[in-house]
Amino acid sequence: MALAGPRLDRPSAIGEEGRPRTVSLWIATVVVLAAVTAGGAVIGVPELALAVGTPVGLTVAGIGLVNRERFGPQLAGYVLLLLFGSTLALQVVLLTVLPVGLAVAGVVLALLGIGVTWADAGNADSAKDTLVGSLITYLVMLVGLGLVFGVVAVLLVGRWAVTATTAGLAPGTSTLWFVAAVGYAALGVRIALWRLPFEQLTPRGRRAEVRRRLHYVGRVTLGIAIGSVGVLILGGIGVGLGAFDTLAGVAPPLAAALDLLAAPLVLGTFGTVGTVGILASLGALLLRMATRRFDTTTVQWVAAAAAGVVLTFLLSTTVAFFVLAPFNPVGGVVVSVLILVVYTVVPPLLVGGTLLVTIGMEVGVIPDRAGGPAFAATGMVLAAIGFGGVSPLVAFACVVAAAVAWDASWYGLGLTAELGLIPETRRLELLHAVVVLGIGGVALVALAGLDLLGSVALAGVGNSVGLYVAGVGVLLLLLPLRG
């Protein structure tokens, strides 16, 4: 999880609230990572922090970028959020069925809380923007995938129809397919000339000449598109009267030449030209409508929609690669189906989780200013419960890490609210950290002693009593860590 580097937030005014001060946040981060590493070592996965932290870090990067003001970072943020946030949500759901699944889920939540705190995105406004933007991205991606597969289905059906109707010597139907393809291409070019800003993108000195040529090409393509309709009507009458069959009997070479007009390469070329022209025109129209009032909110929603288009392209090309790959075609189809299922079924879990967080912040269950630290502390508590059956000492360490991370973050938030980010507060933060870590260390030693007492003195009354005593010790010894 990339925590170093330039900040995603840059508040500087005195009294401006944001994330905790850097030293306090580093202390909370190190404590959480130490507890996670210890838990991973106990369950035989010493690289747990790195394995879980990578998708968490990329998800946090997406959350941080969607709260920027420029189009490019927001676009990248929504792509990262949907790609890796969905993977992370699926990972958490699958891991909860394991014996230590609750512990790993708590680790994910804790690292996510720390990362969101670094990104200064753990507040209600960020949650709302993330919720609405990710929902827009997901819906656009669904519509885009539906259109892509619809186009593929139409192409496959069209290819079958062309092959079936032009099998053997069928000059009439071949000619009609060719005329329809030419008319479609001309219509696509005419619409593109109408909607795309060719003239505006031309240097001023050449605009008059370009305008004249565009008008000429526009008249020609419009005439071809209209004329193709008439030719299709006349051709259909000719096919019905058997004129092409007569031609095939009189001049077989000419009939064979007409039959070649429906070759897949020929029809595919004209079809591609028409489709590209229509899609480009539609994209230009939607972009112009969306950016007519180009304020910050509009930029964000346009970026979310554009991210859905990017994800549609990425998923479509990935599925096409695995389906068309010459090696292991059956495995490729299985992988393609899994990819589509993951990115069409799992994102609602991500959106639903964001909705719950937003509602929790609105009703006050989750603190608005300290959403990230609250997630980190809650995750460490869940990890403590999960690790309790494996190693009580690690469970105690997670509880202490939860309290220390919360206290250090809350103290850093107070400094940010009162002093801003300009004054130097390193000594204050270090002094508070020494006190907090000292109390946390004493609490950990005391809890270890309680565990030893429970395993020796209370061995005859069962382990549950020992855990009860340890839990009471947690409450008593960690009360001073409230800050």
Side-chain angles (χ1 to χ4, degrees), residues 79 83 309-319:
V79 172
L83 279 179
V309 175
V310 172
L311 289 173
T312 300
F313 174 77
L314 292 176
L315 293 178
S316 301
T317 53
T318 303
V319 169

Side-chain angles (χ1 to χ4, degrees), residues 133-439:
S134 58
L135 181 60
I136 292 175
T137 302
Y138 175 64
L139 293 178
V140 171
M141 183 187 69
L142 280 185
V143 174
L145 289 176
L147 291 176
V148 168
F149 287 108
V151 170
V152 171
V154 169
L155 291 177
L156 293 177
V157 173
R159 182 179 179 182
W160 171 83
V162 172
T163 304
T165 55
T166 59
L169 192 62
T173 52
S174 297
T175 303
L176 294 181
W177 277 113
F178 176 77
V179 172
V182 171
Y184 177 71
L187 179 63
V189 173
R190 181 64 186 89
I191 294 176
L193 293 176
W194 175 42
R195 299 306 310 179
L196 297 180
F198 293 108
E199 182 180 346
Q200 289 80 358
L201 296 176
T202 306
R204 291 186 177 274
R206 299 185 54 194
R207 287 187 179 181
E209 179 184 359
V210 170
R211 186 185 304 113
R212 180 178 57 82
R213 292 184 178 181
L214 290 176
H215 286 169
Y216 174 75
V217 176
R219 289 194 298 269
V220 171
T221 52
L222 181 61
I224 293 175
I226 296 175
S228 64
V229 177
V231 174
L232 284 175
I233 296 174
L234 295 177
I237 295 174
V239 171
L241 295 176
F244 287 95
D245 295 333
T246 303
L247 178 65
V250 175
L254 179 59
L258 292 177
D259 194 48
L260 293 176
L261 294 176
L265 179 61
V266 176
L267 297 182
T269 301
F270 284 110
T272 301
V273 171
T275 302
V276 170
I278 293 175
L279 291 180
S281 303
L282 181 60
L285 177 62
L286 293 177
L287 185 61
R288 185 173 299 176
M289 292 173 59
T291 57
R292 185 168 296 171
R293 293 182 179 179
F294 207 75
D295 57 10
T296 304
T297 304
T298 304
V299 172
Q300 188 171 18
W301 305 154
V302 172
V309 175
V310 172
L311 289 173
T312 300
F313 174 77
L314 292 176
L315 293 178
S316 301
T317 53
T318 303
V319 169
F321 170 77
F322 283 107
V323 170
L324 301 177
F327 56 88
N328 193 10
V330 177
V333 172
V334 173
V335 171
S336 300
V337 172
L338 289 177
I339 291 175
L340 290 177
V341 169
V342 168
Y343 287 104
T344 55
V345 176
V346 178
L349 296 177
L350 176 66
V351 176
T354 309
L355 176 61
L356 292 177
V357 171
T358 304
I359 295 175
M361 288 185 173
E362 288 294 328
V363 301
V365 176
I366 302 174
D368 186 5
R369 284 184 56 212
F375 291 141
T378 303
M380 282 287 93
V381 173
L382 292 177
I385 298 173
F387 287 126
V390 180
S391 173
L393 185 60
V394 173
F396 299 154
C398 290
V399 174
V400 173
V404 172
W406 170 258
D407 185 86
S409 299
W410 187 256
Y411 183 76
L413 280 168
L415 290 178
T416 303
E418 294 180 10
L419 303 177
L421 292 177
I422 292 180
E424 181 62 46
T425 59
R426 185 182 302 271
R427 291 185 179 181
L428 290 175
E429 294 177 86
L430 289 176
L431 177 61
H432 184 82
V434 169
V435 175
V436 171
L437 291 175
I439 298 176

